[in-house]
């Protein structure tokens, strides 16, 4: 048993998630957001607590405001932006999927509201995964009007080449992933599809895009510690309940505001500690002995896929407070 406490390093850059609720159910979504997630949102009090704690982070460079889709609760979003400005929190940008940009007139009005509240920059998500749920006309409205309101240099396209590939599709509506592949001559289920976006093989991707990866036996993942991933704070997230997630590791909250740097011990944080030392293979072995976990015979597409399967099993026991929120563990 590991008795040396781990500690989360100073936070560098990250996102504030107002909710897990989204208009879309993108196949690559790390946080498995969707319209079916509970209608639970960050309160303004929680935002204030989070900002107060973040102000004490000496190395914090920037934060961004994210969802789910943060624009779904428009008055709350404006209040959070105003609060961040009042508290001198360095908000780099707000992230959106552009689903709210159907009408150019309404989009224009809302962009000005965001700017007046204190927002200075917008990140617009665009990919073949987003385009299954958001018409390209909405994305185009969002980008063009944001450029008018915030200035060209303050609109981030994530990712620019995806914008052009979607723009080349016939019509400016939604397109299925299969249609996208067909139009661009990409074999569906191929790695080249994922390389277009640099998909992280974690979150929803391990199930919704599993056909694009080759499965490997669990032994392949033996000895792969996740210490570097879990102690990485260059892209952390804090959700609406104040749970902190490090690396790209959604669903493992080793800290909650106001204490974002607790002593992490194997008896208080068994999942996090085991993943930092033995990785998902070690977690699988312990979970097999102590909680009856059985891995899939066919193997897994990545170490994160194995990790997620074990954590889904552990979450069902209700014994692991680190595995939050519980609905992250249901598809
Ligand atoms: S739009 Fe963003 S938050 Fe919503 S499902 Fe897609 S990737 Fe996830
Ligand atoms: S295997 Fe688990 S802990 Fe490791 S990087 Fe993937 S999600 Fe994070």
């Amino acid at each position: 048993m590991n008795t040396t406490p781990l500690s989360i390093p100073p936070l560098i850059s990250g996102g504030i998630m107002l909710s897990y609720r989204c208009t879309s159910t993108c196949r690559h979504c790390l946080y498995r957001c969707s319209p079916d997630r509970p209608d639970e949102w960050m309160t303004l009090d929680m935002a204030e607590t989070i900002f107060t704690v973040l102000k004490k982070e000496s190395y914090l460079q920037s934060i961004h405001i994210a969802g789910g889709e943060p624009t779904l609760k428009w008055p709350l979003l404006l209040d959070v932006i105003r609060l961040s400005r009042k508290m001198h929190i360095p908000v780099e940008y707000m992230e959106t999927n552009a689903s709210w940009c159907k009408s150019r007139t309404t989009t224009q009005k809302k962009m000005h509201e965001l700017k007046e509240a204190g927002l200075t920059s917008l990140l617009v998500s665009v990919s073949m995964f987003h385009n299954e749920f958001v018409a390209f006309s909405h994305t185009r409205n969002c980008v063009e009007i944001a450029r008018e309101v915030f200035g060209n240099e303050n609109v981030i396209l994530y990712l620019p080449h995806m914008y052009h590939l979607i723009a080349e599709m016939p019509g400016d509506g939604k397109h299925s992933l299969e249609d996208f592949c067909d139009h661009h001559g990409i074999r569906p289920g191929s790695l080249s599809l994922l390389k277009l976006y640099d998909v992280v093989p974690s979150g929803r991707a391990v199930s919704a895009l599993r056909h694009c990866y080759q499965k490997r036996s669990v032994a392949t993942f033996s000895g792969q510690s996740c210490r570097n991933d879990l102690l990485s704070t260059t892209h952390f997230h804090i959700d609406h309940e104040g749970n902190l997630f490090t690396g790209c590791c959604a669903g493992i909250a080793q800290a909650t505001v106001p204490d974002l740097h607790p002593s992490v011990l194997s008896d208080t944080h068994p999942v996090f500690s085991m993943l930092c030392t033995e990785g998902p293979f070690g977690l699988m072995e312990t979970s097999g002995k102590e909680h009856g976990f059985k891995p899939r015979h066919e193997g897994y597409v990545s170490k994160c896929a194995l990790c997620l399967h074990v954590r889904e099993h552990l979450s069902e026991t209700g014994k692991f407070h680190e595995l939050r929120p519980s609905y992250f563990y249901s598809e």
Side-chain angles (χ1 to χ4, degrees):
M1 181 175 284
N2 171 31
T3 50
T4 310
L6 291 162
S7 180
I8 306 302
L11 303 184
I12 307 291
S13 179
I16 305 299
M17 300 172 61
L18 300 191
S19 177
Y20 289 80
R21 201 155 165 107
C22 189
T23 52
S24 306
T25 312
C26 299
R27 302 191 202 207
H28 69 305
C29 186
L30 262 185
Y31 281 81
R32 294 170 135 185
C33 297
S34 87
D36 298 327
R37 291 307 187 209
D39 200 9
E40 293 174 359
W41 291 79
M42 186 174 286
T43 62
L44 211 51
D45 282 350
M46 176 56 84
E48 187 169 353
T49 304
I50 292 170
F51 291 159
T52 303
V53 171
L54 288 180
K55 278 183 81 71
K56 295 179 191 149
E57 292 287 331
S58 311
Y59 297 92
L60 186 73
Q61 292 175 1
S62 61
I63 68 151
H64 62 272
I65 297 173
E69 175 51 38
T71 61
L72 278 173
K73 282 271 186 282
W74 193 257
L76 170 70
L77 172 61
L78 295 181
D79 283 345
V80 170
I81 295 169
R82 285 187 198 108
L83 182 66
S84 67
R85 186 165 64 166
K86 189 171 139 204
M87 294 181 72
H88 304 290
I89 292 292
V91 174
E92 193 181 3
Y93 57 84
M94 181 198 97
E95 192 173 329
T96 181
N97 65 17
S99 54
W100 49 286
C101 300
K102 183 176 179 185
S103 141
R104 288 184 74 89
T105 313
T106 309
T107 304
Q108 222 146 19
K109 178 176 162 288
K110 288 190 156 186
M111 288 288 181
H112 282 291
E113 286 177 8
L114 290 171
K115 190 174 182 185
E116 278 156 26
L119 193 72
T120 55
S121 180
L122 198 69
L123 181 147
V124 185
S125 304
V126 53
S127 74
M128 59 284 197
F129 305 120
H130 294 91
N131 188 228
E132 291 201 281
F133 299 93
V134 179
F136 180 68
S137 57
H138 294 36
T139 307
R140 191 178 51 217
N141 287 345
C142 190
V143 172
E144 289 178 356
I145 296 168
R147 283 175 173 161
E148 285 166 24
V149 174
F150 292 100
N152 208 23
E153 65 286 7
N154 295 316
V155 180
I156 306 158
L157 270 184
Y158 195 83
L159 289 157
H161 67 278
M162 292 293 356
Y163 185 89
H164 298 296
L165 286 174
I166 308 289
E168 285 169 15
M169 295 290 295
D172 58 6
K174 302 175 193 173
H175 301 93
S176 69
L177 191 59
E178 291 69 26
D179 285 349
F180 175 85
C181 290
D182 191 41
H183 185 80
H184 289 291
I186 300 163
R187 191 164 56 81
S190 66
L191 259 187
S192 42
L193 171 66
L194 303 185
K195 284 193 174 148
L196 276 178
Y197 191 83
D198 207 11
V199 174
V200 178
S202 192
R204 186 173 289 123
V206 304
S207 50
L209 295 170
R210 66 183 176 282
H211 54 289
C212 300
Y213 298 94
Q214 205 173 4
K215 291 196 182 69
R216 290 176 281 163
S217 74
V218 289
T220 319
F221 309 111
S222 173
Q224 292 188 21
S225 150
C226 293
R227 189 184 174 95
N228 290 344
D229 306 272
L230 287 165
L231 297 184
S232 166
T233 60
T234 54
H235 199 68
F236 68 85
H237 282 87
I238 299 178
D239 74 7
H240 67 294
E241 292 177 342
N243 297 315
L244 171 69
F245 306 104
T246 45
C248 290
C249 308
I252 316 169
Q254 68 284 25
T256 305
V257 293
D259 183 8
L260 294 181
H261 302 278
S263 275
V264 177
L265 284 157
S266 53
D267 51 353
T268 56
H269 300 76
V271 177
F272 187 87
S273 300
M274 176 60 79
L275 288 168
C276 278
T277 52
E278 308 288 330
F281 188 83
L283 185 67
M284 174 200 76
E285 288 193 313
T286 309
S287 304
K289 283 183 210 137
E290 297 177 7
H291 301 284
F293 174 76
K294 288 192 175 44
R296 295 191 184 111
H297 293 300
E298 68 270 27
Y300 294 87
V301 301
S302 65
K303 69 171 185 172
C304 301
L306 170 60
C307 180
L308 190 54
H309 189 209
V310 182
R311 287 188 281 127
E312 282 168 350
H313 181 84
L314 295 179
S315 173
E316 272 178 27
T317 68
K319 292 180 181 165
F320 295 88
H321 78 282
E322 302 155 85
L323 303 180
R324 296 196 298 268
S326 56
Y327 50 75
F328 171 79
Y329 290 97
S330 60
E331 272 288 7

